[in-house]
């Protein structure tokens, strides 16, 4: 029980992992005031986690998709052999 919300460590770990991977993909250390990328999760975020309803902000989703497209494009390019 975490501040009145019955939780399991697995969902919290999953959201924490999504948060940290997004830092890598977005190439940012910043934290907005809400959502998965919030720096410190409050009671409301824990409730959303318990309901599997904590999300990225719309601009974060757009940046994640853009980063994914760039990585796919780079992966499709032929490797250049270095001498």
């Amino acid at each position: 029980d975490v501040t009145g919300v019955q939780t399991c460590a697995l969902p919290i770990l999953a959201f924490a992992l999504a948060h940290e991977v997004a830092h890598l993909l977005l190439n940012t250390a910043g934290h907005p005031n809400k959502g998965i990328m919030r720096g410190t999760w409050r009671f409301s975020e824990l409730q959303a986690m318990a309901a599997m309803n904590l999300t990225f902000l719309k601009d974060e989703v757009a940046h994640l998709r853009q980063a994914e497209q760039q990585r796919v494009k780079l992966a499709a390019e032929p490797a250049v052999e270095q001498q």
Side-chain angles (χ1 to χ4, degrees):
D1 191 30
V2 178
T3 59
V5 176
Q6 286 190 357
T7 61
C8 171
L10 192 55
I12 294 172
L13 179 60
F15 282 105
L17 183 59
H19 173 105
E20 295 304 328
V21 168
H23 274 301
L24 296 173
L25 295 174
L26 296 170
N27 196 27
T28 182
H31 295 102
N33 291 328
K34 59 184 175 178
I36 288 177
M37 296 305 293
R38 181 178 167 83
T40 303
W41 290 328
R42 303 166 297 181
F43 181 75
S44 60
E45 281 84 22
L46 294 175
Q47 287 179 309
M49 283 182 211
M52 298 303 289
N53 196 27
L54 187 62
T55 61
F56 289 101
L57 303 178
K58 287 182 182 182
D59 65 323
E60 293 165 346
V61 172
H63 285 112
L64 285 167
R65 286 184 176 148
Q66 183 181 27
E68 175 192 16
Q69 290 170 353
Q70 289 173 344
R71 283 176 175 76
V72 168
K73 182 179 177 183
L74 286 173
E77 292 177 1
V80 177
E81 194 174 309
Q82 295 189 8
Q83 300 283 333

